[in-house]
Amino acid sequence: MKYLERGYLEKDELPPFPSEERLKKRPVAYIECPQPIPCSPCFEACSVGAIKMDNINDPPEVDYEKCTGCMSCLRVCPGLAVFILRLREDGKGEVTLQYEFLPWLNKGDKVELLNRKGEVVGYGVVNWVLPPERNDQTSLVRVEMDASLIYDVRAVRKVRE
Amino acid sequence: MDGRLVDHPILKFERGKEVTIYFNGKPIKAYEGETVAAALYAAGVRIFSRSFRWHRPRGFFCAIGKCSACMMEVDGIPNVRTCKVYVRDGMQVRTQTGYPNAEKDIFALADKLIDRFYPHGSHYTKFTNPLIRDFVLSQLRKMTGFGKPPKAVYEGKAKHEEISCDILVVGGGPAGMSAAINAGKYGAKVLLVDENPFLGGQLVKQTHRFFGSAKHKAGTRGIRIAKILEEELQKIPNVMVLKETKVFGIYNGGKEVGAVQKDKLLRIKPKKIIIATGAYERTLVFENNDLPGVYGAGGVQTLMNVYGIYPGTRGLIVGSGNVGLILSYQLMQAGVKVAAVVEAMPRIGGYFVHAAKIRRLGIPIYVRHTVLRALGKNKVEGAVIAELDEKWNPIKGSEKKIDCDFICVAVGLSPAHELLYQAGCKMKFVPELGGLVPLRTIYNETSVTGIYAAGDVAGIEEATAAIMSGRIASIHATVALGYGGEEAKKELEEAVKDLQEFRAGPFGEKIVSGIAKCMLSS
């Protein structure tokens, strides 16, 4: 459990990613929640049974074939551990994540892309937002970025104009 | 707007009417609904009192009436905990330690001069002759001042009232509210008392979404859970709620309970009692840990999330349990910078996901590190941290200066066990549960029949477990009184199973082994 000495997951600790083929088909939930903790809202929110969890302390495991990318789990995750990933046909990638800071992000905003350690790894553009008032003050933000970045970008920060 | 937050991503601060209070004669702007301590803090006051002997500056620490560092004279009444008193227009507030006041105290010289010859604590070893020691201590105490008793003699008529109920619940936090709801729904006559003017306990400052299962309101923010529980309570007519009511004693093996509701004395005659008084924050030993600016993590949450007041501009968090990690995230949400999180253990103590969400925003987390000292004269102006070796000693040369103007101590909680102890329940010191806790059955009944403990007072866990343990205690008490029939008995077994399952993971291991040490057979 080396990740508990750092506060972030290294490559070899990450759950397996969905295949490129799957990522291209439609959005898919990717959950970075390796530690057994008593928490199950994602499992309960999933209407297609794509999240496997034997008991409340079991870490979630996503069946990428069953997952429809509906974002039900993303809306409720208290650990901000769910990311919806997608590879678009035009070669761009998208990450949808929870966002709870001011100023709120809007469609078209340019953002800094942060990796798991908080390092800026690039820039992206917000192309869809679920406003905070629609989800008890947790906004959902979809960010367009270079395809290769979707495996690393886990937070965004608004670029000050 | 001075030291107050205006915009917040999660919270809306609805401030009351603007009023003026007087602090050592100086007018200070405040809003109705704020405590005196919160209003003073917003106005920039950092020194709330002076230490008893050496006149060191003392500030705000816990914000929930436990630490006594904020005691002042309010409208002529000495020793008032200003974090528990709400502002009123024209209120006169004075510091009671130090001369002429706590902020500018000439006796503060004591800390600098006397300390050179009589280091802190040496009065216990230097003045070995009891006569000299008593004389010196009495003189030192005179210098500090414990406030002056009011001159006017109370001439009003003290009111008192007798109340009977089936179940008395002491404490209106998650455990207490859950207990009242679950006993009330089976028809028991319940009285719920809380010392605050609001229900919810410490839920009122938990802006994050809760863990657990959806059945137990996971995914919902703590602040909303407080509201949901309160609404459920209001729907039950046989539950009476008394706010601003303090229970001070349990007598005759739980047959009689003394309480004060504002200026009214209550004699409560319950058949069963559920104690859900929660916990208080611990502090940590390091140089200058009494400097204003060293705060309890929960104290900072109260200041920031309940009253909407900036604790500072840049904080250092000591302790990486869930409280420390969640607080770091909450500080960032309020626009306050977090310099770092330090953790003495070789790994993060709280949930990984809580750590990951601040780490990805660039907050460093230093494991195997501790805070060596706080820097600053009258308030925190920085801190020195250092790495620890295998034997927990600071490694020479690893010291690092951290730029910060406040330090949050998030090193755990201790059960607020006093009422249980006073009631005669058998207690045991169990480190896994945070300190002195009552022996109890699996239904949370203590060694005194009819007195139950629920929530953090029975062992430090978190709010979801508190809600579950309140449910177990109250249904057991309800069944014992003959309410609820088979349905209640069935729910009781279910509730016990739910909690067992909740604690079955690695995070529950410590709790489970702690409880095993204080289990009574039922």
Side-chain angles (χ1 to χ4, degrees):
Chain A
M1 300 227 280
K2 279 281 193 195
Y3 57 82
L4 280 180
E5 292 168 24
R6 296 185 297 258
Y8 57 88
L9 295 169
E10 289 281 18
K11 284 228 153 47
D12 59 331
E13 292 161 330
L14 290 170
F17 280 102
S19 66
E20 206 166 296
E21 192 196 345
R22 171 65 189 85
L23 284 163
K24 279 181 176 159
K25 214 156 74 186
R26 55 170 187 261
V28 61
Y30 182 69
I31 306 184
E32 298 187 7
C33 185
Q35 188 186 27
I37 53 173
C39 186
S40 60
C42 60
F43 167 75
E44 282 143 1
C46 185
S47 57
V48 296
I51 296 176
K52 190 175 152 273
M53 192 182 280
D54 291 334
N55 62 65
I56 191 171
N57 276 290
D58 201 23
E61 202 179 297
V62 183
D63 182 334
Y64 298 131
E65 294 314 311
K66 279 190 192 163
C67 174
T68 61
C70 73
M71 303 196 289
S72 299
C73 53
L74 179 67
R75 288 177 82 124
V76 296
C77 176
L80 273 58
V82 179
F83 306 91
I84 310 288
L85 310 182
R86 186 188 171 199
L87 289 174
R88 286 195 330 219
E89 281 191 5
D90 63 0
K92 282 281 184 186
E94 287 175 348
V95 176
T96 313
L97 41 80
Q98 290 157 295
Y99 187 81
E100 299 182 318
F101 289 92
L102 292 179
W104 293 114
L105 293 174
N106 295 305
K107 195 174 161 180
D109 282 348
K110 197 177 171 198
V111 289
E112 284 177 335
L113 305 174
L114 307 174
N115 67 7
R116 298 181 181 85
K117 295 185 232 178
E119 298 161 342
V120 178
V121 292
Y123 292 88
V125 176
V126 175
N127 68 8
W128 174 85
V129 163
L130 179 74
E133 61 274 15
R134 298 263 307 275
N135 190 35
D136 193 11
Q137 299 308 110
T138 304
S139 178
L140 304 187
V141 179
R142 190 170 71 203
V143 184
E144 191 180 297
M145 61 190 72
D146 284 343
S148 62
L149 289 175
I150 67 164
Y151 304 101
D152 289 317
V153 170
R154 291 300 171 259
V156 296
R157 192 187 291 144
K158 187 166 175 163
V159 175
R160 284 175 198 245
E161 306 281 320
Chain B
M1 200 168 92
D2 49 45
R4 290 176 175 86
L5 274 146
V6 180
D7 296 316
H8 191 282
I10 313 296
L11 298 161
K12 279 196 177 63
F13 299 110
E14 282 156 13
R15 298 193 164 89
K17 209 176 82 193
E18 191 181 316
V19 296
T20 305
I21 62 169
Y22 296 87
F23 177 61
N24 291 331
K26 202 175 77 194
I28 279 177
K29 187 179 80 176
Y31 295 90
E32 274 179 0
E34 286 178 344
T35 60
V36 172
L40 292 178
Y41 198 94
V45 176
R46 293 294 177 270
I47 301 175
F48 282 29
S49 62
R50 291 274 169 173
S51 71
F52 290 161
R53 296 196 176 118
W54 309 110
H55 289 252
R56 289 170 61 81
R58 291 275 159 88
F60 175 94
F61 184 81
C62 79
I64 51 169
K66 313 281 190 193
C67 77
S68 300
C70 67
M71 288 210 295
M72 293 183 201
E73 186 185 295
V74 176
D75 285 339
I77 301 169
N79 298 332
V80 174
R81 294 167 299 169
T82 52
C83 68
K84 298 298 281 182
V85 177
Y86 293 82
V87 296
R88 199 170 20 76
D89 203 27
M91 203 174 224
Q92 292 286 345
V93 182
R94 290 180 183 283
T95 53
Q96 60 185 29
T97 45
Y99 183 82
N101 57 48
E103 219 152 355
K104 294 191 189 76
D105 178 14
I106 54 167
F107 292 131
L109 272 172
D111 187 34
K112 300 196 172 53
L113 294 179
I114 302 176
D115 189 32
R116 203 165 280 179
F117 310 104
Y118 297 104
H120 285 198
S122 66
H123 49 279
Y124 292 108
T125 50
K126 284 222 164 107
F127 308 120
T128 43
N129 180 322
L131 279 175
I132 297 176
R133 187 178 58 211
D134 287 352
F135 174 75
V136 170
L137 289 189
S138 68
Q139 295 310 305
L140 284 169
R141 293 211 158 203
K142 254 185 214 164
M143 269 167 64
T144 65
F146 278 112
K148 297 181 189 77
K151 288 189 187 78
V153 178
Y154 180 70
E155 281 173 356
K157 232 180 171 183
K159 286 170 275 187
H160 69 93
E161 192 185 330
E162 209 172 282
I163 306 175
S164 295
C165 61
D166 286 329
I167 296 176
L168 168 69
V169 182
V170 185
M177 282 163 95
S178 157
I181 290 167
N182 284 291
K185 76 179 181 198
Y186 285 117
K189 192 182 163 208
V190 180
L191 174 64
L192 172 66
V193 300
D194 192 279
E195 62 170 335
N196 293 302
F198 53 84
L199 291 179
Q202 307 311 313
L203 283 176
V204 299
K205 58 198 187 193
Q206 307 305 341
T207 54
H208 62 286
R209 290 171 188 268
F210 268 47
F211 284 68
S213 76
K215 191 166 70 177
H216 301 116
K217 304 181 179 66
T220 308
R221 298 186 190 283
I223 42 175
R224 317 262 190 258
I225 295 177
K227 284 271 162 288
I228 293 169
L229 292 175
E230 189 167 0
E231 277 162 23
E232 271 182 59
L233 265 182
Q234 281 163 353
K235 281 187 209 144
I236 309 173
N238 44 320
V239 175
M240 182 161 113
V241 178
L242 291 181
K243 296 175 190 171
E244 290 183 82
T245 303
K246 296 179 193 85
V247 167
F248 59 77
I250 297 174
Y251 308 101
N252 296 342
K255 302 279 176 302
E256 284 184 294
V257 174
V260 178
Q261 184 191 26
K262 291 177 195 164
D263 56 353
K264 189 162 73 176
L265 189 64
L266 302 179
R267 178 195 288 237
I268 305 168
K269 293 189 164 175
K271 291 183 185 135
K272 304 272 177 192
I273 303 173
I274 296 171
I275 306 285
T277 43
Y280 38 73
E281 287 190 276
R282 289 202 202 138
T283 186
L284 188 69
V285 179
F286 59 91
E287 195 179 321
N288 278 339
N289 71 350
D290 60 340
L291 210 57
V294 179
Y295 306 136
V300 169
Q301 284 185 319
T302 302
L303 197 61
M304 182 169 68
N305 296 346
V306 178
Y307 301 110
I309 292 164
Y310 284 111
T313 55
R314 197 175 150 91
L316 170 69
I317 315 296
V318 183
S320 73
N322 279 335
V323 174
L325 298 173
I326 290 169
L327 173 65
S328 305
Y329 187 73
Q330 292 176 347
L331 284 164
M332 294 192 80
Q333 285 181 306
V336 179
K337 292 193 176 70
V338 178
V341 177
V342 296
E343 167 62 57
M345 296 288 283
R347 68 190 72 82
I348 290 158
Y351 294 165
F352 166 73
V353 286
H354 280 315
K357 70 188 182 193
I358 60 167
R359 193 65 184 83
R360 67 172 77 112
L361 296 169
I363 298 179
I365 302 174
Y366 299 111
V367 295
R368 270 206 182 286
H369 274 71
T370 192
V371 57
L372 286 186
R373 71 186 71 93
L375 304 171
K377 221 176 105 198
N378 280 327
K379 58 181 196 311
V380 170
E381 286 158 14
V384 176
I385 64 166
E387 197 177 341
L388 297 172
D389 65 15
E390 302 289 316
K391 288 183 181 141
W392 301 79
N393 295 315
I395 298 171
K396 270 224 168 79
S398 70
E399 293 88 355
K400 205 178 314 182
K401 193 177 169 262
I402 299 281
D403 179 27
C404 60
D405 62 358
F406 68 104
I407 298 170
C408 299
V409 184
V411 294
L413 307 167
S414 289
H417 62 269
E418 293 82 357
L419 270 180
L420 289 164
Y421 205 1
Q422 181 270 330
C425 304
K426 278 196 189 120
M427 309 293 283
K428 191 170 176 184
F429 188 86
V430 182
E432 291 90 336
L433 299 180
L436 208 54
V437 291
L439 303 184
R440 85 295 301 270
T441 66
I442 54 164
Y443 303 112
N444 283 4
E445 190 165 11
T446 66
S447 61
V448 179
T449 310
I451 299 184
Y452 295 75
D456 273 0
V457 73
I460 306 301
E461 256 178 294
E462 41 71 71
T464 310
I467 291 173
M468 294 162 106
S469 80
R471 178 173 168 226
I472 293 171
S474 73
I475 299 180
H476 189 266
T478 310
V479 168
L481 290 173
Y483 293 98
E486 286 309 309
E487 194 194 335
K489 278 183 201 154
K490 216 178 114 210
E491 193 191 337
L492 178 61
E493 294 315 315
E494 236 170 69
V496 170
K497 224 181 92 210
D498 269 3
L499 186 54
Q500 272 165 359
E501 196 176 297
F502 186 83
R503 286 171 176 158
F507 269 91
E509 267 170 30
K510 207 172 91 179
I511 305 291
V512 171
S513 70
I515 290 173
K517 291 185 185 171
C518 51
M519 194 43 79
L520 291 169
S521 56
S522 50

